[in-house]
């Protein structure tokens, strides 16, 4: 449940198909890939990004949840994002002109978790092959990618990864 949504951009964070999914878009024997937001600082610390590059920017959808619903929503998200994710609070600039920045909670699959794949981060062709063939309890991995791509087109955003 949510009270409001807004499209916004987060600077200093990129979206990458680099998190293996064994429980949603793949299986333990054939993991899929899901998108995760990773900070530029994390990537630089791991040598996966050059210091001094322009900051990454990720467009996404923010949900404002009513105070009474927060504990239940967080419990559900904590369960769903149990595969190597951590919570991060980030600043988001709404896409609506003149709107002030908001703080948002992001679940990020850090570079240190066991399901993170630097190979998939560095090799989009390998990631594409995985996404094309993986299927898990939540459906085809390809459907997940296509849904994200359709939403990005709908809001007029491009995502190079």
């Amino acid at each position: 449940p949510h009270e409001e949504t807004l499209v916004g951009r987060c600077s200093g964070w990129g979206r990458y198909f680099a998190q293996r999914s064994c429980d949603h878009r793949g299986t333990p024997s054939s993991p899929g890939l899901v998108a995760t937001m990773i900070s530029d600082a994390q990537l630089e610390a791991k040598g996966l990004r050059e210091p001094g590059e322009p900051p990454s920017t990720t467009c996404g959808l923010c949900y404002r949840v009513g105070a009474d619903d927060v504990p239940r929503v967080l419990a559900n998200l904590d369960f769903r994002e149990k595969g190597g994710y951590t919570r991060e609070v980030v600043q988001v600039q709404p896409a609506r002109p003149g709107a002030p920045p908001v703080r948002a909670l992001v679940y990020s699959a850090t570079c240190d978790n066991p399901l993170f794949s630097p190979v998939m981060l560095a090799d989009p062709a390998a990631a594409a092959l995985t996404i094309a063939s993986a299927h898990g309890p939540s459906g085809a991995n390809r459907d997940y990618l296509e849904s994200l791509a359709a939403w990005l087109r709908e809001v007029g955003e491009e995502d190079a990864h």
Side-chain angles (χ1 to χ4, degrees):
H2 61 278
E3 296 178 354
E4 180 183 9
T5 63
L6 67 87
V7 175
R9 291 176 193 81
C10 180
S11 183
W13 290 75
R15 178 185 5 249
Y16 305 97
F17 277 88
Q19 175 73 3
R20 291 184 194 96
S21 174
C22 300
D23 57 350
H24 287 286
R25 296 297 175 163
T27 63
S29 62
S30 182
L33 287 174
V34 293
T36 184
M37 286 179 60
I38 304 171
S39 73
D40 293 348
Q42 290 175 46
L43 293 173
E44 288 171 12
K46 292 290 184 185
L48 299 171
R49 176 184 162 86
E50 292 297 320
E53 287 183 39
S56 301
T57 301
T58 298
C59 177
L61 190 60
C62 297
Y63 294 85
R64 186 169 60 83
V65 176
D68 292 345
D69 293 320
V70 168
R72 182 169 42 107
V73 168
L74 287 177
N76 288 338
L77 286 170
D78 286 345
F79 178 76
R80 187 183 82 186
E81 308 297 346
K82 63 187 176 287
Y85 289 82
T86 61
R87 291 183 190 177
E88 300 283 343
V89 177
V90 298
Q91 182 169 296
V92 174
Q93 180 61 52
R96 190 178 74 239
V102 298
R103 290 170 25 105
L105 181 67
V106 168
Y107 282 78
S108 171
T110 65
C111 300
D112 294 326
N113 86 76
L115 296 175
F116 176 76
S117 176
V119 171
M120 296 300 170
L121 179 73
D123 188 352
L129 287 173
T130 298
I131 291 168
S133 62
H135 193 280
S138 295
N141 205 167
R142 177 190 309 247
D143 293 346
Y144 172 80
L145 170 66
E146 289 173 354
S147 177
L148 174 60
W151 182 82
L152 288 167
R153 282 190 301 274
E154 180 182 314
V155 298
E157 288 289 325
E158 290 188 27
D159 189 322
H161 193 77

